């Protein structure tokens, strides 16, 4: 079992974590329940109080409201645990095997401390909040431009329910989303620092990545995150298909752009791992592979793409 020094604990620390602790919402299940109440249950109650069952029915039949104000906040709150667990497992295995040579261990420890400092920093979360508010202002402009759903308008303007969903539900969604994206950036920066260290890689390792194959556990932690974002995007595509004439080509372009963006985001760490597993340009043939606890020279040459050949 890894010690506390070998754990990143990427979801602990920072203004948001401290606020949740003070409010008694440190447990993620309770936090998800509170977010569901704020973002989804309160709008339903407001509609029942102001427009009766008809207004609430309009809200309950809107899949965009279900996706952004119920499914996404709950999943994004619950996603913190699997993401943090996957990161701690990868970091502990990095030090436990160990893959870092003794001469680079101080640099690796420093990279881990820097990642921990970024985790607890307050400015990045303020930036995330600013981005969430900017997204809310943009959505408010579209609402005022005539694109608001029927349940969000009343008396020629945005209703109280629409204002609540914009100010609370939309802001919570975008803040949770950008905060988890920032956690991914922290992990990528940590891998970038590790990639510059001397690693005890095994050219003939069965995982095909010199012993770094365990880093593939990390993307699995973003399963709930991916489901949350996908549900909101699918609801958005559904709204577009309702309002506009949609062709298979236009749907394909939208899906392709989002798929490429998600792939680039989640594969960034894989690129860092690939960079670390390849020999540096300063090394000449033959490469030295480390197997077990001993050293053995293995004749290997690499072509321009980094592929190993005898």
């Amino acid at each position: 079992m890894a010690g506390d020094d070998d754990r990143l604990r990427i979801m602990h620390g920072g203004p948001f974590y401290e606020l949740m602790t003070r409010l008694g919402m440190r447990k993620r299940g309770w936090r998800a329940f509170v977010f569901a109440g704020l973002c989804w249950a309160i709008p339903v109650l407001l509609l029942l109080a102001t427009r009766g069952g008809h207004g609430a029915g309009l809200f309950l039949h809107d899949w965009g409201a279900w996706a952004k104000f119920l499914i996404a906040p709950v999943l994004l709150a619950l996603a913190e645990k699997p993401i943090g667990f996957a990161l701690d497992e990868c970091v502990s295995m990095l030090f436990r095997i160990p893959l870092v040579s003794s001469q680079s261990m101080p640099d690796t420890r420093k990279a881990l401390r820097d990642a921990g400092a970024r985790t607890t920093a307050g400015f990045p979360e303020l930036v995330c909040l600013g981005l969430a508010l900017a997204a809310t202002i943009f959505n408010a402009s579209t609402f005022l431009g005539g694109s608001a759903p029927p349940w969000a308008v009343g008396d020629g303007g945005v209703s109280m329910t629409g204002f609540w969903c914009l100010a609370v539900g939309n802001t919570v969604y975008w803040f949770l989303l950008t905060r988890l994206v920032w956690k991914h950036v922290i992990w990528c920066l940590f891998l970038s620092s590790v990639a510059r260290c001397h690693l005890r890689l095994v050219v003939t390792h069965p995982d095909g990545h010199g012993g770094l194959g365990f880093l593939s556990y990390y993307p699995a932690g973003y399963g709930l995150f991916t489901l949350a974002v996908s549900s909101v995007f699918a609801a958005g595509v559904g709204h577009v298909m309702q309002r506009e004439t949609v062709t298979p080509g236009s749907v394909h372009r939208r899906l392709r752009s989002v798929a490429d963006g998600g792939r680039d985001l989640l594969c960034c760490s894989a690129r860092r791992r690939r960079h670390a597993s390849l020999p540096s340009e300063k090394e000449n043939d033959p490469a030295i592979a480390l197997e077990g606890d001993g050293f053995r020279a293995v004749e290997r040459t690499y072509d321009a793409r980094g592929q190993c050949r005898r």
Side-chain angles (χ1 to χ4, degrees):
M1 188 68 64
D4 289 340
D5 292 340
D6 295 341
R7 297 170 61 186
L8 182 55
R9 300 178 67 86
I10 198 169
M11 296 302 171
H12 293 70
F16 179 74
Y17 179 80
E18 298 297 333
L19 177 62
M20 294 297 101
T21 301
R22 290 178 179 272
L23 296 177
M25 297 166 56
R26 184 174 179 177
K27 292 185 177 180
R28 296 176 181 90
W30 173 243
R31 189 188 308 171
F33 178 79
V34 173
F35 284 159
L38 289 174
C39 300
W40 188 81
I42 289 182
V44 173
L45 295 177
L46 287 175
L47 286 170
L48 286 174
T50 57
R51 301 178 61 178
H54 174 69
L58 293 175
F59 184 85
L60 294 176
H61 284 84
D62 186 353
W63 52 63
W66 282 86
K68 179 174 280 189
F69 303 134
L70 179 62
I71 297 175
V74 170
L75 292 182
L76 291 176
L78 296 177
E80 292 186 2
K81 184 174 182 179
I83 293 174
F85 177 79
L87 286 177
D88 286 341
E89 283 296 304
C90 291
V91 173
S92 65
M93 292 182 68
L94 181 67
F95 289 104
R96 187 172 65 241
I97 293 178
L99 283 174
V100 182
S101 64
S102 58
Q103 61 179 330
S104 294
M105 188 60 69
D107 294 334
T108 306
R109 292 288 183 185
K110 181 179 182 301
L112 185 61
R113 290 193 299 270
D114 292 342
R118 296 187 185 103
T119 297
T120 59
F123 179 73
E125 292 194 356
L126 291 178
V127 173
C128 293
L129 180 60
L131 293 175
L133 293 175
T136 296
I137 294 174
F138 175 79
N139 285 3
S141 65
T142 60
F143 271 36
L144 296 176
S147 299
W151 54 264
V153 295
D155 298 331
V158 179
S159 65
M160 181 185 301
T161 304
F163 177 79
W164 179 271
C165 289
L166 283 172
V168 179
N170 193 75
T171 304
V172 167
Y173 165 72
W174 283 107
F175 174 76
L176 295 177
L177 176 66
T178 53
R179 182 171 179 265
L180 290 182
V181 172
W182 166 241
K183 302 300 183 181
H184 180 76
V185 173
I186 293 175
W187 175 243
C188 291
L189 294 175
F190 171 73
L191 289 183
S192 178
S193 299
V194 172
R196 292 191 290 268
C197 297
H198 295 277
L199 304 179
R200 302 176 67 240
L201 303 181
V202 181
V203 177
T204 57
H205 197 282
D207 67 6
H209 296 282
L212 295 174
F214 66 89
L215 293 179
S216 61
Y217 300 154
Y218 163 70
Y222 268 81
L224 294 179
F225 172 89
T226 305
L227 181 59
V229 176
S230 299
S231 64
V232 175
F233 174 74
V237 172
H239 284 164
V240 172
M241 295 178 68
Q242 282 184 323
R243 299 172 183 174
E244 302 176 3
T245 302
V246 181
T247 63
S250 63
V251 174
H252 175 74
R253 286 191 297 270
R254 292 176 183 268
L255 293 175
R256 184 63 180 272
S257 61
V258 174
D260 290 344
R263 179 196 61 195
D264 294 341
L265 174 65
L266 292 179
C267 289
C268 181
S269 60
R271 294 192 186 100
R272 300 295 187 185
R273 182 192 65 195
R274 175 67 176 169
H275 173 73
S277 62
L278 293 177
S280 63
E281 296 178 355
K282 297 180 180 179
E283 295 177 352
N284 297 321
D285 296 332
I288 302 298
L290 305 177
E291 293 189 355
D293 295 329
F295 297 85
R296 183 170 66 87
V298 180
E299 293 289 338
R300 292 289 187 272
T301 57
Y302 294 87
D303 56 23
R305 295 176 297 178
Q307 300 294 327
C308 178
R309 63 173 184 237
R310 295 183 182 276

